[in-house]
Amino acid sequence: MDIAHFILFLAGGISAIITFILHVNFKQGPVRASALVGVLVGVFVLVFPKLLSPYLTQNLPLVCFGASFIGMVSSKVLSNYVLIGISGIVFTLIFLNTSTYFHGFGGGLGSAACIALLVTLSIPILKKKGTLSNGFLQLRNQMRSKKKRKNKNK
């Protein structure tokens, strides 16, 4: 792995974490936090184009903006900074290996971010040999309670 790929993996993890921090800790909302990360990286690349290699100039904004979609996750679903960072790294891995397939299609970054987040959320299942983890049980209970509230309001 060369230095450019290492920078992209690092940027993917950090972008997801920064977006989550802006969203949860600074109450900026998920869309504003993601947009802020994307704009800051985009402006950095535009202002300092000679600072980075042409490969990084082309791919760094895409990786950071796509990984910022992971930081938009609700803190009720995932609130561990390490797992969010791992999701950003998984997103970068998916992006680097599938970006040629998504060329010309809208939603490629969002789809890759969703897949990366689902992969990270499935880690507890793989660790416990197929049993439901506490996080998935909580998610299932939240979905059931929302259904009950919806039925009461009818």
Side-chain angles (χ1 to χ4, degrees):
M1 176 168 64
D2 60 346
I3 191 72
H5 286 119
F6 178 75
I7 291 171
L8 289 177
F9 282 113
L10 187 65
I14 290 172
S15 295
I17 293 170
I18 289 174
T19 304
F20 186 76
I21 289 170
L22 289 171
H23 163 52
V24 174
N25 295 352
F26 292 102
K27 308 284 189 238
Q28 289 301 309
V31 176
R32 184 181 291 167
S34 175
L36 185 60
V37 169
V39 166
L40 289 177
V41 173
V43 168
F44 175 79
V45 169
L46 286 174
V47 172
F48 303 108
K50 303 283 188 205
L51 188 63
L52 302 171
S53 69
Y55 179 77
L56 282 176
T57 303
Q58 182 180 10
N59 289 312
L60 186 65
L62 293 172
V63 167
C64 289
F65 189 58
S68 73
F69 295 159
I70 293 168
M72 295 171 72
V73 68
S74 171
S75 60
K76 293 179 182 176
V77 175
L78 183 64
S79 62
N80 186 337
Y81 294 124
V82 173
L83 289 179
I84 291 171
I86 290 172
S87 292
I89 292 169
V90 170
F91 165 81
T92 306
L93 182 68
I94 293 169
F95 173 80
L96 291 175
N97 290 305
T98 62
S99 60
T100 57
Y101 300 115
F102 285 132
H103 185 69
F105 293 97
L109 294 177
S111 299
C114 179
I115 293 167
L117 189 60
L118 291 173
V119 165
T120 306
L121 287 173
S122 68
I123 290 173
I125 291 176
L126 297 174
K127 283 177 62 175
K128 295 196 179 197
K129 299 181 181 171
T131 60
L132 284 176
S133 69
N134 189 27
F136 284 100
L137 290 173
Q138 288 177 355
L139 182 62
R140 185 179 70 183
N141 291 339
Q142 284 179 356
M143 292 171 67
R144 285 182 179 169
S145 66
K146 284 181 184 178
K147 268 187 185 177
K148 288 179 183 177
R149 278 188 258 145
K150 212 182 246 188
N151 289 337
K152 285 182 182 179
N153 291 338
K154 286 184 178 181

